Amino acid sequence: MAVFVLVHPGWFGGWCWKKLVPLLEEHGHRVQTPTLTGLGERCHLAHPGVVMQTHVDDVVNVLTYEDHREVILLGTSSSGAVVSGVADRVPERISQLVYVDAFVLENGQALWDLIPPHRRPPMEALVETEGFGWLLPRFSAEPWEQFARQAWQVTDEADLSWMLARLRPTPFGHYTGPVRLVNPAAGRLPRTYIRCCRWPNPSFDRYAQAASQDPCWRLLQLESSHLPYITNPHELASMLLDLTARQDAP
């Protein structure tokens, strides 16, 4: 039995894994889906002091207080930074890292450093005009529904209604706070990058290319848009279950 800890990205919450969790649990695996401070059902805890390190602490505490060992730790999109920070803190509790269309940061980098320069001014304007100077309400000026349909390709009406009702502004410190990555033991953990091929993004293409050339990484391709846990949960579950089989192999 494996222990999966699935970490959601900005704007989302632990709720976003609802379709994926039973597909893993029916094979006997344990799954935890912590919600980061200030998001999802913990949105009432949002405040200007929430930064990336807060979210790293959230997940470290789940692993520590639950005394999890041999964890398969998964991050997606912005939570790639979170799981990297967690691995640096408690590598002894992790068996492998999985990045699903996720940012892969270097020591001292923040997510904001990886946002293309031309995208930053509109996002900063949203923080100032709609986010009280410390919340990022959404990814772009487009309404969430339009963005979700066209870019994320969430076309099922039930999925769309369920998702849009739960998205929440993200503390801007999630994006501007740097990640500390200095532990050599974390660098030796096995890593898998799952690239969602129907989401065009040069940054994620670059990470996938780097993974394909690094023996510490395994690269997988998934025919999905950016939110496979919502749009393609069965296909994503199959890949994750395969990782558990490889982990158990002699």
mmCIF file of all heavy atoms in Angstrom, residues 190-215:
data_model
loop_
_atom_site.group_PDB
_atom_site.id
_atom_site.type_symbol
_atom_site.label_atom_id
_atom_site.label_comp_id
_atom_site.label_asym_id
_atom_site.label_seq_id
_atom_site.Cartn_x
_atom_site.Cartn_y
_atom_site.Cartn_z
ATOM 1 N N PRO A 190 13.826 9.909 -6.355
ATOM 2 C CA PRO A 190 13.298 9.667 -7.705
ATOM 3 C C PRO A 190 12.193 10.665 -8.027
ATOM 4 O O PRO A 190 11.375 11.013 -7.160
ATOM 5 C CB PRO A 190 12.745 8.238 -7.620
ATOM 6 C CG PRO A 190 13.385 7.632 -6.423
ATOM 7 C CD PRO A 190 13.641 8.748 -5.462
ATOM 8 N N ARG A 191 12.159 11.092 -9.276
ATOM 9 C CA ARG A 191 11.197 12.116 -9.693
ATOM 10 C C ARG A 191 10.572 11.730 -11.024
ATOM 11 O O ARG A 191 11.243 11.206 -11.912
ATOM 12 C CB ARG A 191 11.886 13.478 -9.838
ATOM 13 C CG ARG A 191 12.456 13.988 -8.525
ATOM 14 C CD ARG A 191 13.524 15.053 -8.720
ATOM 15 N NE ARG A 191 14.172 15.336 -7.451
ATOM 16 C CZ ARG A 191 13.952 16.425 -6.719
ATOM 17 N NH1 ARG A 191 13.129 17.353 -7.172
ATOM 18 N NH2 ARG A 191 14.543 16.587 -5.555
ATOM 19 N N THR A 192 9.290 12.027 -11.142
ATOM 20 C CA THR A 192 8.558 11.808 -12.394
ATOM 21 C C THR A 192 7.912 13.119 -12.819
ATOM 22 O O THR A 192 7.295 13.805 -11.991
ATOM 23 C CB THR A 192 7.468 10.741 -12.227
ATOM 24 O OG1 THR A 192 8.078 9.479 -11.902
ATOM 25 C CG2 THR A 192 6.652 10.575 -13.502
ATOM 26 N N TYR A 193 8.066 13.450 -14.083
ATOM 27 C CA TYR A 193 7.377 14.620 -14.642
ATOM 28 C C TYR A 193 6.310 14.124 -15.607
ATOM 29 O O TYR A 193 6.606 13.388 -16.550
ATOM 30 C CB TYR A 193 8.344 15.553 -15.371
ATOM 31 C CG TYR A 193 7.766 16.940 -15.546
ATOM 32 C CD1 TYR A 193 8.031 17.934 -14.609
ATOM 33 C CD2 TYR A 193 6.921 17.244 -16.609
ATOM 34 C CE1 TYR A 193 7.476 19.193 -14.726
ATOM 35 C CE2 TYR A 193 6.363 18.498 -16.740
ATOM 36 C CZ TYR A 193 6.638 19.481 -15.799
ATOM 37 O OH TYR A 193 6.077 20.729 -15.911
ATOM 38 N N ILE A 194 5.055 14.514 -15.344
ATOM 39 C CA ILE A 194 3.937 14.156 -16.224
ATOM 40 C C ILE A 194 3.526 15.414 -16.983
ATOM 41 O O ILE A 194 3.024 16.371 -16.398
ATOM 42 C CB ILE A 194 2.747 13.588 -15.427
ATOM 43 C CG1 ILE A 194 3.165 12.318 -14.690
ATOM 44 C CG2 ILE A 194 1.571 13.310 -16.357
ATOM 45 C CD1 ILE A 194 2.073 11.717 -13.819
ATOM 46 N N ARG A 195 3.778 15.392 -18.285
ATOM 47 C CA ARG A 195 3.461 16.545 -19.127
ATOM 48 C C ARG A 195 2.099 16.344 -19.775
ATOM 49 O O ARG A 195 1.848 15.341 -20.448
ATOM 50 C CB ARG A 195 4.530 16.713 -20.206
ATOM 51 C CG ARG A 195 4.280 17.887 -21.149
ATOM 52 C CD ARG A 195 4.439 19.224 -20.446
ATOM 53 N NE ARG A 195 4.242 20.332 -21.388
ATOM 54 C CZ ARG A 195 3.114 21.050 -21.473
ATOM 55 N NH1 ARG A 195 2.084 20.782 -20.685
ATOM 56 N NH2 ARG A 195 3.029 22.040 -22.336
ATOM 57 N N CYS A 196 1.205 17.303 -19.549
ATOM 58 C CA CYS A 196 -0.141 17.261 -20.130
ATOM 59 C C CYS A 196 -0.086 17.899 -21.508
ATOM 60 O O CYS A 196 0.045 19.128 -21.639
ATOM 61 C CB CYS A 196 -1.126 17.981 -19.219
ATOM 62 S SG CYS A 196 -1.244 17.248 -17.570
ATOM 63 N N CYS A 197 -0.190 17.079 -22.527
ATOM 64 C CA CYS A 197 0.174 17.493 -23.881
ATOM 65 C C CYS A 197 -0.810 18.470 -24.521
ATOM 66 O O CYS A 197 -0.464 19.142 -25.497
ATOM 67 C CB CYS A 197 0.315 16.262 -24.775
ATOM 68 S SG CYS A 197 1.538 15.102 -24.198
ATOM 69 N N ARG A 198 -2.021 18.545 -24.010
ATOM 70 C CA ARG A 198 -2.999 19.444 -24.624
ATOM 71 C C ARG A 198 -3.025 20.825 -23.958
ATOM 72 O O ARG A 198 -3.945 21.606 -24.188
ATOM 73 C CB ARG A 198 -4.399 18.809 -24.590
ATOM 74 C CG ARG A 198 -4.485 17.516 -25.395
ATOM 75 C CD ARG A 198 -5.887 17.260 -25.919
ATOM 76 N NE ARG A 198 -6.890 17.201 -24.873
ATOM 77 C CZ ARG A 198 -7.293 16.095 -24.258
ATOM 78 N NH1 ARG A 198 -6.749 14.929 -24.605
ATOM 79 N NH2 ARG A 198 -8.220 16.127 -23.331
ATOM 80 N N TRP A 199 -2.009 21.124 -23.177
ATOM 81 C CA TRP A 199 -1.880 22.446 -22.548
ATOM 82 C C TRP A 199 -0.597 23.067 -23.055
ATOM 83 O O TRP A 199 0.497 22.766 -22.566
ATOM 84 C CB TRP A 199 -1.862 22.312 -21.032
ATOM 85 C CG TRP A 199 -1.449 23.532 -20.266
ATOM 86 C CD1 TRP A 199 -0.243 23.756 -19.678
ATOM 87 C CD2 TRP A 199 -2.234 24.700 -19.993
ATOM 88 N NE1 TRP A 199 -0.230 24.970 -19.041
ATOM 89 C CE2 TRP A 199 -1.436 25.577 -19.227
ATOM 90 C CE3 TRP A 199 -3.538 25.076 -20.322
ATOM 91 C CZ2 TRP A 199 -1.901 26.807 -18.778
ATOM 92 C CZ3 TRP A 199 -3.991 26.304 -19.881
ATOM 93 C CH2 TRP A 199 -3.180 27.147 -19.119
ATOM 94 N N PRO A 200 -0.651 23.929 -24.069
ATOM 95 C CA PRO A 200 0.576 24.519 -24.613
ATOM 96 C C PRO A 200 1.196 25.488 -23.616
ATOM 97 O O PRO A 200 0.567 26.461 -23.181
ATOM 98 C CB PRO A 200 0.089 25.253 -25.870
ATOM 99 C CG PRO A 200 -1.367 25.500 -25.649
ATOM 100 C CD PRO A 200 -1.862 24.384 -24.787
ATOM 101 N N ASN A 201 2.433 25.204 -23.231
ATOM 102 C CA ASN A 201 3.128 26.060 -22.278
ATOM 103 C C ASN A 201 4.629 25.828 -22.418
ATOM 104 O O ASN A 201 5.121 24.735 -22.110
ATOM 105 C CB ASN A 201 2.663 25.760 -20.851
ATOM 106 C CG ASN A 201 3.244 26.732 -19.843
ATOM 107 O OD1 ASN A 201 4.444 26.802 -19.649
ATOM 108 N ND2 ASN A 201 2.361 27.472 -19.176
ATOM 109 N N PRO A 202 5.365 26.826 -22.891
ATOM 110 C CA PRO A 202 6.809 26.633 -23.104
ATOM 111 C C PRO A 202 7.571 26.270 -21.839
ATOM 112 O O PRO A 202 8.540 25.507 -21.895
ATOM 113 C CB PRO A 202 7.262 27.995 -23.652
ATOM 114 C CG PRO A 202 6.031 28.611 -24.235
ATOM 115 C CD PRO A 202 4.905 28.141 -23.364
ATOM 116 N N SER A 203 7.148 26.801 -20.691
ATOM 117 C CA SER A 203 7.852 26.487 -19.448
ATOM 118 C C SER A 203 7.758 25.008 -19.135
ATOM 119 O O SER A 203 8.755 24.349 -18.813
ATOM 120 C CB SER A 203 7.274 27.306 -18.289
ATOM 121 O OG SER A 203 7.530 28.676 -18.456
ATOM 122 N N PHE A 204 6.551 24.453 -19.219
ATOM 123 C CA PHE A 204 6.371 23.046 -18.902
ATOM 124 C C PHE A 204 7.034 22.160 -19.953
ATOM 125 O O PHE A 204 7.539 21.088 -19.632
ATOM 126 C CB PHE A 204 4.888 22.715 -18.763
ATOM 127 C CG PHE A 204 4.204 23.476 -17.642
ATOM 128 C CD1 PHE A 204 2.867 23.801 -17.718
ATOM 129 C CD2 PHE A 204 4.916 23.875 -16.525
ATOM 130 C CE1 PHE A 204 2.241 24.505 -16.706
ATOM 131 C CE2 PHE A 204 4.302 24.577 -15.498
ATOM 132 C CZ PHE A 204 2.959 24.900 -15.589
ATOM 133 N N ASP A 205 7.050 22.620 -21.198
ATOM 134 C CA ASP A 205 7.798 21.885 -22.223
ATOM 135 C C ASP A 205 9.280 21.826 -21.870
ATOM 136 O O ASP A 205 9.940 20.793 -22.069
ATOM 137 C CB ASP A 205 7.629 22.561 -23.595
ATOM 138 C CG ASP A 205 6.246 22.369 -24.192
ATOM 139 O OD1 ASP A 205 5.546 21.416 -23.796
ATOM 140 O OD2 ASP A 205 5.862 23.184 -25.049
ATOM 141 N N ARG A 206 9.784 22.916 -21.339
ATOM 142 C CA ARG A 206 11.208 22.963 -20.968
ATOM 143 C C ARG A 206 11.507 22.006 -19.824
ATOM 144 O O ARG A 206 12.525 21.297 -19.839
ATOM 145 C CB ARG A 206 11.587 24.395 -20.585
ATOM 146 C CG ARG A 206 13.070 24.580 -20.287
ATOM 147 C CD ARG A 206 13.437 26.055 -20.148
ATOM 148 N NE ARG A 206 12.793 26.681 -19.000
ATOM 149 C CZ ARG A 206 11.801 27.560 -19.081
ATOM 150 N NH1 ARG A 206 11.309 27.918 -20.274
ATOM 151 N NH2 ARG A 206 11.285 28.097 -17.994
ATOM 152 N N TYR A 207 10.625 21.950 -18.838
ATOM 153 C CA TYR A 207 10.831 21.018 -17.734
ATOM 154 C C TYR A 207 10.761 19.571 -18.227
ATOM 155 O O TYR A 207 11.534 18.716 -17.777
ATOM 156 C CB TYR A 207 9.783 21.227 -16.648
ATOM 157 C CG TYR A 207 9.770 22.625 -16.060
ATOM 158 C CD1 TYR A 207 8.573 23.274 -15.802
ATOM 159 C CD2 TYR A 207 10.957 23.295 -15.767
ATOM 160 C CE1 TYR A 207 8.549 24.551 -15.264
ATOM 161 C CE2 TYR A 207 10.948 24.576 -15.234
ATOM 162 C CZ TYR A 207 9.739 25.199 -14.992
ATOM 163 O OH TYR A 207 9.707 26.457 -14.464
ATOM 164 N N ALA A 208 9.826 19.300 -19.128
ATOM 165 C CA ALA A 208 9.708 17.946 -19.664
ATOM 166 C C ALA A 208 10.962 17.553 -20.439
ATOM 167 O O ALA A 208 11.459 16.424 -20.328
ATOM 168 C CB ALA A 208 8.475 17.844 -20.557
ATOM 169 N N GLN A 209 11.487 18.499 -21.221
ATOM 170 C CA GLN A 209 12.699 18.226 -21.980
ATOM 171 C C GLN A 209 13.875 17.945 -21.048
ATOM 172 O O GLN A 209 14.656 17.013 -21.260
ATOM 173 C CB GLN A 209 13.017 19.420 -22.883
ATOM 174 C CG GLN A 209 14.311 19.311 -23.672
ATOM 175 C CD GLN A 209 14.285 18.207 -24.709
ATOM 176 O OE1 GLN A 209 13.209 17.760 -25.110
ATOM 177 N NE2 GLN A 209 15.456 17.764 -25.152
ATOM 178 N N ALA A 210 13.993 18.725 -19.985
ATOM 179 C CA ALA A 210 15.065 18.509 -19.019
ATOM 180 C C ALA A 210 14.917 17.156 -18.335
ATOM 181 O O ALA A 210 15.905 16.441 -18.117
ATOM 182 C CB ALA A 210 15.066 19.637 -17.986
ATOM 183 N N ALA A 211 13.664 16.782 -18.001
ATOM 184 C CA ALA A 211 13.429 15.489 -17.357
ATOM 185 C C ALA A 211 13.822 14.332 -18.259
ATOM 186 O O ALA A 211 14.325 13.302 -17.789
ATOM 187 C CB ALA A 211 11.962 15.373 -16.952
ATOM 188 N N SER A 212 13.597 14.495 -19.563
ATOM 189 C CA SER A 212 13.913 13.418 -20.501
ATOM 190 C C SER A 212 15.412 13.169 -20.610
ATOM 191 O O SER A 212 15.840 12.107 -21.063
ATOM 192 C CB SER A 212 13.344 13.744 -21.886
ATOM 193 O OG SER A 212 14.076 14.798 -22.506
ATOM 194 N N GLN A 213 16.231 14.137 -20.177
ATOM 195 C CA GLN A 213 17.676 14.021 -20.306
ATOM 196 C C GLN A 213 18.395 13.796 -18.981
ATOM 197 O O GLN A 213 19.618 13.753 -18.934
ATOM 198 C CB GLN A 213 18.222 15.302 -20.972
ATOM 199 C CG GLN A 213 17.668 15.537 -22.368
ATOM 200 C CD GLN A 213 18.064 16.884 -22.940
ATOM 201 O OE1 GLN A 213 18.616 17.734 -22.246
ATOM 202 N NE2 GLN A 213 17.792 17.078 -24.221
ATOM 203 N N ASP A 214 17.617 13.636 -17.913
ATOM 204 C CA ASP A 214 18.195 13.492 -16.583
ATOM 205 C C ASP A 214 17.854 12.110 -16.034
ATOM 206 O O ASP A 214 16.679 11.764 -15.906
ATOM 207 C CB ASP A 214 17.625 14.573 -15.654
ATOM 208 C CG ASP A 214 18.325 14.630 -14.310
ATOM 209 O OD1 ASP A 214 18.817 13.585 -13.844
ATOM 210 O OD2 ASP A 214 18.362 15.718 -13.707
ATOM 211 N N PRO A 215 18.846 11.292 -15.699
ATOM 212 C CA PRO A 215 18.574 9.928 -15.215
ATOM 213 C C PRO A 215 17.816 9.885 -13.884
ATOM 214 O O PRO A 215 17.272 8.837 -13.523
ATOM 215 C CB PRO A 215 19.969 9.310 -15.073
ATOM 216 C CG PRO A 215 20.900 10.467 -14.965
ATOM 217 C CD PRO A 215 20.290 11.560 -15.785
#
